[in-house]
Structure formats: structure tokens, C-alpha cells
Amino acid sequence: MTVVQMLEEIKRLKKEKNICILAHAYQRQDIWEVADYIGDSFGLSVEASKTDADTVIMCGVRFMAETVKILSPEKNVYLANPLAGCPMAEQMDVDIISQMKQSLPDYAVVAYINTTSELKTVCDVCVTSSSAVKIISRMPQKKILFIPDCNLGSYIAKSLPEKEVKLVHGGCPTHVRISVKDVEKARAAHPDAELLVHPECIPEVTERADFVGSTTEIMSYAEKGDKKEYIIGTENSIVEHLQFSCPDKSFYPLSKDCVCHNMFATTLSDVYRCVKGIGGEKIELDSEVAAGAKRCIDEMLRLGK
């Protein structure tokens, strides 16, 4: 079977079986070709909840598939590749954060959406990279315990000096690979390019950027911007996707090492096997865990209105 034949067969089967395919922006271009929705993790979950699909396939990592199931409990939800996890989401557990809550009773616990469903059950609210500053600014509590990404937490703290933000050591092992030296090299090689970075990068990198935003915000900025050259400081797949969407512009990776191996674990063959019913992993959540995590998500939606 060729790539073209596999693409066509996936499209045929998903229509026949009423399947919705979600692809995180970091997925490969061929997976984008068969996806119904492409974007950041939470946005994908919201879009899936609006469909009448019986089955949803997440081409991303485990916590994203869990969020889809939380917002669409009546649907059959599958993770296309069962091995696709998120190291950052798995860095902390319920016991650790529960103990911290006891020792810091006057702090509200804010979880990045990149956390497990279990961890969200002991948090007050969760946020996305694009909504974090707005959500936390609207919280009545002055003292915030932010988990798990220290770099995003540092960016939030600098954006909201009126808040007292306490951080716990953790972060994205992919974005943390980007260094100040990478910025200096990229600026020297492409002096006319704007530098766009994700807030999961270390503070010394975000401070040197022309724009800081979520993955979809970076893509939108580059697509709509007047510049002809951009240095992309997030997962390197975005460089390729932007080259497809804006062939008249030039895009350069800030670091050749900014590659998420968990995202790249999912292949077109995984998606094919999943729509065939012989692959993927069906996501099942304990009812109490799902309810606790949904409470955390619902609070984000309430504060984000």
C-alpha cells in the first residue's frame, strides 16, 4: 500500500464508521492530511465534543486523549499510538501535590493542561499556554502554586507581578533543549527574521523573542505577519507545516534538537490500524477521576469567559 492509498483508505473508513480524527499541531504532515481538526490539545478536545462522531481518534499524546474523553464521555475515544505519552504530564503525582497543598493551604493550585487526569483532580483550575495569564489574572487568590512547567510558570509570574507565583521543578524536556546560544546563532544567520517562541522555553530565551505564544498562536502570527522570514522556537514540525501553508515565506528552526519523540511516535500506519479497528488504545477513565478532572477544566472555562 502506498502513502496515497493509505490516506484515501483512512478517509473512506472514517466516513463509513463516523470517526473524527484529531491531530495535534506537532503531528506529521501526512497525519494532518487525514485529520478533521488540527490544533492545540484543549482546542481539539472542544472541537471533538461538538461533533456527532461515535468515535474519536487522538493523534497526539495520552493526556490529550484523556481530555477528549472527559469532555465527550459518551464517545469512544482512542489514542492512536498507546506509547505516546508526555514526560511533563507524568512528572508529578497526586501524593506530591496533595502534600504541598497541606503545607501551603493559602495557595490556589493551578495545573497546566499538560497533566494527567488524576493530577487535575487535586488542582483548583487548569490552564493552556494561551489562556494561562488571563485565567490566573482573574482568580481571586493572590498566591498561586503553578505546576508542572517552571518555564511557563516563570512567564506567567513576569506577566502578573501582582500575583505571588510559586513554582515546582518540572517542564517540557523538548523545549528546554533550546538555549540562548541557539538564539544567538539563529539571529546571526537570519538577521531579518522575527523570533517566535513557546513559553515552555527557558526565560532567557523567551526574553529575547519578538513574539511568545502557544503553538497555534505562533503559526497564526507567522501566517498573518508581514515579514518574509521567521525563526520558530517550538517543536520543529511547525517549521514544515508553515512551509506548506506559506510557501512564499522562509521558516527556520531555532534548534535542530527541538523534536518531541512522543509526538513523532504516531505514524500514518497507526491511524490506519486504528480506523480499521485493529490498533490504538481505547481510553477508559474512572468516573471519580473524570468528574474531578472535569471540575478543574470547567473552572478554566468559567474564568476564561
Side-chain angles (χ1 to χ4, degrees), residues 48-209:
S49 70
K50 297 175 183 177
T51 73
D52 61 358
D54 299 314
T55 299
V56 179
I57 297 174
M58 168 57 78
C59 301
V61 296
R62 184 169 297 276
F63 82 82
M64 299 176 185
E66 290 179 353
T67 306
V68 174
K69 185 63 177 177
I70 290 166
L71 296 189
S72 301
E74 77 288 355
K75 300 182 191 300
N76 296 310
V77 178
Y78 288 85
L79 179 61
N81 186 317
L83 298 179
C86 174
M88 175 165 57
E90 299 160 3
Q91 285 171 351
M92 298 172 189
D93 60 30
V94 171
D95 290 340
I96 292 173
I97 301 306
S98 294
Q99 290 172 18
M100 293 197 71
K101 287 181 67 174
Q102 290 180 358
S103 63
L104 300 166
D106 52 345
Y107 279 75
V109 182
V110 179
Y112 191 15
I113 194 74
N114 298 36
T115 45
T116 64
S117 297
E118 288 82 2
L119 193 53
K120 289 183 178 73
T121 64
V122 294
C123 297
D124 296 295
V125 63
C126 63
V127 297
T128 65
S129 55
S130 59
S131 71
V133 172
K134 181 169 86 169
I135 296 295
I136 294 175
S137 71
R138 293 180 174 181
M139 295 177 67
Q141 299 92 337
K142 180 182 178 181
K143 296 183 177 181
I144 305 295
L145 174 63
F146 185 82
I147 62 169
D149 193 301
C150 282
N151 294 324
L152 176 58
S154 176
Y155 178 76
I156 294 166
K158 289 179 181 177
S159 301
L160 299 172
E162 70 276 15
K163 298 286 185 178
E164 186 177 324
V165 181
K166 187 176 183 62
L167 307 176
V168 184
H169 183 68
C172 173
T174 298
H175 285 90
V176 78
R177 297 189 189 113
I178 298 176
S179 68
V180 172
K181 186 173 289 186
D182 290 323
V183 174
E184 293 170 350
K185 287 182 178 178
R187 289 284 200 191
H190 312 289
D192 296 326
E194 282 194 314
L195 174 60
L196 320 180
V197 308
H198 197 284
E200 288 177 16
C201 292
I202 62 173
E204 293 81 3
V205 168
T206 57
E207 288 166 1
R208 290 165 169 78

Side-chain angles (χ1 to χ4, degrees), residues 9-84:
E9 184 64 1
I10 291 171
K11 292 175 183 178
R12 184 189 71 80
L13 285 169
K14 74 171 185 176
K15 184 176 181 180
E16 176 185 296
K17 297 184 177 183
N18 194 25
I19 296 172
C20 172
I21 298 178
L22 308 176
H24 188 271
Y26 295 161
Q27 292 295 302
R28 305 165 192 266
Q29 185 68 28
D30 55 2
I31 292 176
W32 275 39
E33 297 293 333
V34 297
D36 296 287
Y37 299 101
I38 300 162
D40 288 327
S41 62
F42 186 69
L44 291 174
S45 302
V46 173
E47 292 297 338
S49 70
K50 297 175 183 177
T51 73
D52 61 358
D54 299 314
T55 299
V56 179
I57 297 174
M58 168 57 78
C59 301
V61 296
R62 184 169 297 276
F63 82 82
M64 299 176 185
E66 290 179 353
T67 306
V68 174
K69 185 63 177 177
I70 290 166
L71 296 189
S72 301
E74 77 288 355
K75 300 182 191 300
N76 296 310
V77 178
Y78 288 85
L79 179 61
N81 186 317
L83 298 179

